[in-house]
Amino acid sequence: MRILLSNDDGVLARGLRALRAAFVQAGHEVFVVAPDREQSASSHSITLDRPLRLREVEPGVHAVDGTPTDCVLVGMHGLMEQRPDLVVSGINHGPNMGEDVTYSGTVAAAFEGFILGVPSLAASMRDREHGDYEAAAGVVVQLAERAREWAGGRPVILNVNFPAGPSAEWGPVCVTRLGTRRYSDELIEKVDPRGRKYYWIGGSEPTWDEADGTDFATVHEGGISVTPLHLDLTDERSLESLAAVDLSEVRA
Ligand code: MN
């Protein structure tokens, strides 16, 4: 397979390096286009107000001074001579589950692959510091090979999350849906040395509503979560009831 590999933690990140090594070892062709620095929580942003510069770090590995979405666009339209069979993003240092996928630069790279018509896979590690990225990369390669066959060329997005703990204790791969995070963000207010207030968005580790069948529940129980995503944000459940609201008097 021909793989376009990116991430949001930067071209030097351990998770990206592990994925590249695993795909190469399995005999796949890997083309890396990744941000030159940390771009976590950059979501699906795209750089339109300045040119993008790139640097070839080593053969087949390019660093771009932009977002993960920029990287996928530059890779597909600028650098790769042939379209990739699969776009892979990660392995992110930290999980991307539930509503957090909307902040994630890792998942956004997969969104961009999907928009460009290529099956895409995003992978994230629950334990950002002690996670076994090498073992996870081996699993991603196996999932990618199966995903390609399953997708049959149609664009899909798979969001994969690995649990904490040693890889020997990881449970099986489970197909899940996105769960719901319990709101826990905190806004820290402090005063800087010049007497001006500043704010820092932070908070403790998030907690989740661990309903059965969700990514949160699976990862919490030590399993590997695979969630199929799409980009149609239409609220199907509200279509009918909204259409029943009398909007005839609302006009310009
Ligand atoms: Mn990240």
Side-chain angles (χ1 to χ4, degrees), residues 224-236:
I224 300 165
S225 164
V226 181
T227 309
L229 301 179
H230 62 59
L231 282 175
D232 181 353
L233 295 178
T234 311
D235 177 2
E236 298 285 343

Side-chain angles (χ1 to χ4, degrees), residues 8-9 38-41 92-93 106:
D8 75 359
D9 297 321
E38 169 90 36
Q39 290 281 348
S40 292
N92 188 61
H93 300 192
T106 305

Side-chain angles (χ1 to χ4, degrees), residues 105-121:
T106 305
V107 178
F111 286 167
E112 194 59 26
F114 172 87
I115 289 169
L116 296 174
V118 180
S120 298
L121 185 154

